[in-house]
Amino acid sequence: MNINDIAVKYEDFKKSMLKHSDIQITDNNELSLDGCRRVVEYNENNIVLELPSVGVSVVGMKLRMKNFSIGGVVIKGHIHSLTFISKEEL
């Protein structure tokens, strides 16, 4: 088994374990999210993420992502809105 096979198996395993997401919003300046599958769009005014069952769009000003780890991300900035998006619209 080579390294590419191991990487593919690991990604499949990771996706199978993440069946839901947890979102925590602190005031309007920090959003912590677990269960992120991928970043669809990223700029200082809009961040779109794919979650296991839906997508989420975070709109604001001076947005930045921190602590991007396996399935987890923290978004900081002036958060104006959070919108859920169907998987088909991603």
Side-chain angles (χ1 to χ4, degrees):
M1 183 177 288
N2 65 30
I3 191 72
N4 290 332
D5 293 337
I6 293 170
V8 168
K9 287 185 183 281
Y10 174 71
E11 288 299 318
D12 291 342
F13 172 74
K14 186 171 68 172
K15 286 180 181 178
S16 72
M17 295 305 291
L18 295 175
K19 303 254 188 238
H20 64 87
S21 353
D22 294 316
I23 300 173
Q24 178 180 352
I25 301 172
T26 305
D27 295 328
N28 69 329
N29 57 19
E30 183 175 298
L31 183 140
S32 300
L33 188 140
D34 288 325
C36 178
R37 291 224 171 134
R38 73 181 172 112
V39 177
V40 177
E41 182 180 337
Y42 178 78
N43 62 57
E44 69 175 11
N45 297 316
N46 188 33
I47 298 174
V48 179
L49 304 170
E50 180 183 347
L51 307 179
S53 59
V54 296
V56 66
S57 172
V58 180
V59 176
M61 293 173 39
K62 298 181 182 176
L63 298 177
R64 60 199 183 281
M65 288 195 316
K66 300 206 175 223
N67 294 343
F68 191 75
S69 62
I70 298 176
V73 66
V74 175
I75 298 172
K76 293 190 175 204
H78 301 287
I79 298 169
H80 295 169
S81 68
L82 176 75
T83 305
F84 293 99
I85 306 167
S86 70
K87 293 279 268 189
E88 293 79 30
E89 294 179 41
L90 289 178

